[in-house]
Amino acid sequence: MRGIRAVGPRLAGVITGKWSAWLVLVLTAIASAGALMFGGEARSSTDSTAALPSDAQSAQVAELQRRLPSGQQNPALVVYSRDEAPLNPADREAIAAVGETFTQWAVNGQVSPPVFADDGSAALIAVPLPSDSGYERNGEVIDQLRAASRNDLPDGLIAQVTGGAGFSADVAGSFAGANTRLLLVTVAVVAVLLIVTYRSPWLWLVPLTVVGTADLVSNSMIAVVSRAIDMNIDASTTGIVDVLVFGAGTNYALLLIARYREELRRNADRRQAMRRALGSAGPAIAASAATVALSLLTLVAAVLANERAIGVAGAVGITVAALYGLVVLPAALTVCGRGLFWPFVPRPGQPEPTRTGVWARVGTFVSRRPVAILTGTLVLLALLASGLHDARLGLSRTEQFRVQAESIDGLQTLSRHFPAGQADPTVVLADETAADTVLTVAADTPGVVTIRPADRGEGLVLFDVVLAAEPDSADSYQTIRDLRERLAEVPEADALVGGSVAANLDSRDAAIRDLKVVVPLILAVVLLVLILLLRSLLAPLILVTSVVATFFAALGAGNFLFTGWLGYGGLDTSVPLLSFLFLVALGVDYNIFLTTRAREESRDGDTRQGIRTALAVTGGVITSAGILLAAVFAVLGVLPLVTLTEIGVIVGIGVLLDTLLVRTLLVPSIVMLLGRHFWWPSRLARHPAGPAPAPVAASLTAPAVAVTPAGRATRDRTAPRN
């Protein structure tokens, strides 16, 4: 046991040693360069159904459709119209002439003739493009097709390219450079907040450099993992992981530097100060990182592949960020020396302002009125959560972009002049021997406008089904369900219903299933880590409950903001689960930082004084960390998808609530009311007076150091040796 306990101090000694700290930095630089050189590109896929579970009907249709000629096509739809005016003969001639030029991009050079709307105000040309051309090539073709569609048109005639190929090109195009902008804005936000926090012209450079390097290395490691386990990584996943690494990594740096600065006021030897800081803050940081990483890994139980990818990639990113924060950052700070804090250099004998500042007064305020504060905070959280009363889950294709996209505009034009489902037909795939029966059953289904055979082969027949309802609306989803139910009554047909609308319905259903399965796993992981860390049952239950309450408050506030003020259609299907994951895993961090310090400060058995002291000494750094994390997540708003904006805003609101309300008022008021019973059933709860159990990670605490009048550090001979 002594040997195990000695590992921590020995590792801290290596990280902070006079020469070994330099060795740590050199080895890290070599390893980081190697990771960047050999990481390569992450695995990706252009298959729109790749994220769906294999037993989803739309995924099965997509797989079977690849065996048919139509499965090798991704249609682009060119829509011509005038502003609320019918097309004239010159328009029709120009449309027919331009349509002939589209053959150079079409599969087998075949383009359907123009289809004119019944009201005579719009025309539609379908251009079948190869489905395996990839995002980059598809984008190039769509750009060329858009340019050609506008050549020599009469004045006032508008051309818009939409359809599956157009939408894919706009998604890819909207992300062109978006992650670079995200990274630059994130770095700028972190830099500004670090400068404001430390009030030093160069201290901020050290944590920012360490965290930035960790982000680059984590992206390389994610690329390696994605190829090893056949996991697709898209641009949105990369953006989320960048935010996670910068947000969590900077939080770890803030906590460590704050404790290091505290120890520098007590120790003349900066290496000794860093060892003591690591001994105190290191376990809390490690526990926090473990909580977040393990919570992310619960997404492996999800059936949606994109959610599993976020879980695995995020866990890799958090692990790398924690390693750099606990190994590289302490070594860099030790090498740079005490002067790094200039002009506010911490020196032995200086008073600790945090114990008498604003947060100490907040602790005193809470201790005097715990019942009123507890009641008030719970009422506020309940009011914010009430914003969920009219929440709608799921966004249509036209609601997914924050920025203007031609494919969305074209889809809206189509819906005004053609049946709403014309732009995105539903696909029914069945056994060829039952084609007539399937045709009859599908045509009689309410909500179906037209159905026609579109392809045959391999003993299968494929029908294009045009729905009356707008794609991805509640009515379109109901029509899909009705089609599946009616066709299931024809067992000999083996009929399956797919297409984009069906795929979105399957994705929505899978997201709801994942929410029900993964949320309990996240709660179990967080609860287990807290039990092991605090050696208590009651305290972890209270902390987890407080974070869950914060989640519902943030989700309600976010839903009210999006639907009431910003005019969004609702919350996207993946938003509740991912927001819950980030808020519970990251939000509990601040409670970990607070309660581990409170446990450490409760050595005499006075828990109420311990929580006041913990709030006083951690209030400033945790508030800074929370504001920084909220700001970093808000940066997701620079990306073009509504989904990422919603996740960023909801997590940002939740983190601020956790930092400024729950950790500051709610949890301390509960501790004030419960006293030592907060730690039940640990020994700290059974001993109201006298020495309490050793604080968390006491085994990592270095020998006490006294400072002589001359400023020299000497070992306290009465202190135990590690």
Side-chain angles (χ1 to χ4, degrees), residues 461-522:
V461 58
L462 182 144
F463 297 92
D464 277 347
V465 182
V466 176
L467 307 184
E470 181 181 347
D472 300 316
S473 65
D475 290 340
S476 70
Y477 287 160
Q478 186 57 51
T479 303
I480 296 293
R481 293 190 183 97
D482 292 342
L483 263 176
R484 287 174 171 174
E485 290 178 4
R486 289 174 176 245
L487 292 174
E489 297 174 358
V490 189
E492 67 274 14
D494 289 329
L496 299 169
V497 180
S500 298
V501 176
N504 290 338
L505 173 61
D506 290 338
S507 177
R508 179 179 179 273
D509 291 342
I512 294 173
R513 176 266 177 200
D514 288 346
L515 190 64
K516 295 177 180 178
V517 172
V518 177
V519 163
L521 294 177
I522 296 171

Side-chain angles (χ1 to χ4, degrees), residues 432-448:
E432 192 172 18
T433 59
D436 293 339
T437 305
V438 170
L439 184 64
T440 301
V441 171
D444 291 339
T445 301
V448 172

